Amino acid sequence: MPNTPPKLTRTVDELRAALAEVRRAGKTVGLVPTMGALHEGHLSLVRASKVECDFTVVTIFVNPSQFAPTEDLDSYPRTFEADMQALTTCGAELVFAPADEEVYCSGHDTWVEVGGVAEPLEGECRPAFFRGVATVVLKLFNMARADVAFFGQKDYQQAQVIKQMVRDLNVPIEIRVCPIVRAPDGLAMSSRNAYLSSEARVRALVLWRSLRLAQDLVAAGERDAKAITEKMREVILTVEDAQVNYVTLADPETLQPVSRITGPTVAALAVRIEGTRLIDNHILTPVEAI
Ligand code: AMP
């Protein structure tokens, strides 16, 4: 039998009323925050929530406060009908898709600033980004009051920032981080892949190639971070039109760069291909840490 479409809510009151019933029935609630333009990466989070929780809420909200004025807020892909179809197939029970004014009421002037873990990498390239992300995620947590929230390792630093915020502010929610979903050729799924021409999409495979190179180098015994990141950069720069924002090997908890690999290390990179900014990462584990 085909699944019934998820219930669509647009206001916080509607969301809370729907969830109050669910809680009265003693069900656990899983929350999957997204900006829409859903793909298999997002849907893997919905499936993880359905495995762990009795009831799954997906939020679809392109959060203006995490975009700098020069970024792609206006052109960010919006595919609401297709998203609802995909969520029906996956069996999500509820969608919260508020208007901007519902989330940021007039006069909104409170912001969440997470410390050290938000500073390097994305924090350096996009100075207002994590402030916007942490603020909207905390607001969504407060609106839905879910038991568990699901995030993707694709945005590795973002997941660490949210975990830090939840710890520091005693937010009563469990955070799960789910593996990166890749296309069969290795490209990490991303809503922004829609910006890539078919030629640029092929060039974009260099992100995953460089992460695999890092993995191979570590497997072969290389432990010097600079030697590894230089080789990764070389590979990336063989591709026409590639601009490296950063290629870093970092501590997986603090995100601070490491100079030697002595345990599990996150290789993280941000690269522009034909103007589209793509991020990816991979955990490198030396044999001695397995
Ligand atoms: P976004 O809509 O880009 O804000 O992403 C919403 C959630 O989906 C975030 O927790 C992302 O990390 C996660 N996500 C995006 N792409 C992927 C992917 N390829 N694999 C796993 N999770 C993903």
Side-chain angles (χ1 to χ4, degrees):
M1 221 180 53
N3 288 336
T4 43
K7 181 181 170 70
L8 174 60
T9 56
R10 295 282 189 187
T11 67
V12 177
D13 285 349
E14 283 169 9
L15 171 71
R16 286 198 169 147
L19 289 177
E21 269 180 49
V22 174
R23 265 192 221 94
R24 264 198 301 278
K27 293 184 176 173
T28 54
V29 176
L31 179 72
V32 180
T34 81
M35 298 207 298
L38 301 183
H39 49 68
E40 275 301 314
H42 298 111
L43 301 182
S44 73
L45 307 183
V46 176
R47 291 191 195 102
S49 171
K50 286 193 63 75
V51 168
E52 185 171 350
C53 301
D54 301 320
F55 190 93
T56 296
V57 186
V58 178
T59 67
I60 298 179
F61 180 62
V62 183
N63 174 36
S65 73
Q66 71 190 64
F67 288 78
T70 51
E71 292 179 350
D72 57 342
L73 173 62
D74 292 336
S75 57
Y76 195 83
R78 288 164 172 85
T79 59
F80 188 72
E81 294 308 319
D83 292 352
M84 288 301 278
Q85 274 291 321
L87 293 173
T88 303
T89 308
C90 273
E93 279 90 359
L94 200 151
V95 168
F96 178 51
D100 290 1
E101 312 74 62
E102 181 69 13
V103 177
Y104 296 104
C105 303
S106 121
H108 174 101
D109 202 15
T110 301
W111 301 98
V112 180
E113 298 264 5
V114 176
V117 73
E119 281 166 13
L121 311 176
E122 291 300 291
E124 245 165 56
C125 297
R126 306 178 71 190
F129 176 65
F130 284 126
R131 175 191 199 247
V133 168
T135 302
V136 82
V137 168
L138 183 61
K139 284 168 75 68
L140 293 170
F141 286 176
N142 286 333
M143 290 169 183
R145 286 178 256 153
D147 299 283
V148 188
F150 295 82
F151 293 88
Q153 190 202 311
K154 162 74 173 32
D155 298 276
Y156 186 94
Q157 188 179 14
Q158 171 174 287
Q160 291 304 119
V161 165
I162 288 160
K163 283 196 210 163
Q164 175 93 41
M165 174 188 79
V166 163
R167 261 196 317 271
D168 290 351
L169 300 183
N170 306 93
V171 186
I173 195 162
E174 298 274 329
I175 302 299
R176 302 282 181 263
V177 182
C178 301
I180 301 178
V181 177
R182 298 181 179 280
D185 59 12
L187 184 67
M189 296 213 171
S190 164
S191 307
R192 289 191 169 98
N193 292 349
Y195 297 148
L196 297 169
S197 65
S198 53
E199 297 78 27
R201 195 194 169 290
V202 172
R203 280 183 250 146
L205 294 175
V206 78
L207 276 80
W208 178 225
R209 246 194 341 268
S210 72
L211 290 168
R212 274 198 333 227
L213 170 67
Q215 180 178 276
D216 291 346
L217 290 167
V218 170
E222 181 62 81
R223 296 291 177 267
D224 183 58
K226 191 151 177 266
I228 296 171
T229 52
E230 273 175 7
K231 293 207 170 90
M232 291 171 75
R233 261 175 200 274
E234 269 171 32
V235 169
I236 295 166
L237 294 175
T238 58
V239 162
E240 188 194 331
D241 242 352
Q243 281 174 287
V244 175
N245 274 186
Y246 60 79
V247 175
T248 307
L249 301 194
D251 179 284
E253 294 297 315
T254 65
L255 273 308
Q256 289 304 313
V258 297
S259 54
R260 287 199 67 74
I261 297 189
T262 56
T265 301
V266 58
L269 73 179
V271 178
R272 274 185 196 279
I273 303 281
E274 207 182 45
T276 296
R277 188 171 185 279
L278 301 172
I279 61 170
D280 200 351
N281 67 83
H282 190 58
I283 303 288
L284 308 176
T285 310
V287 279
E288 57 273 22
I290 293 176

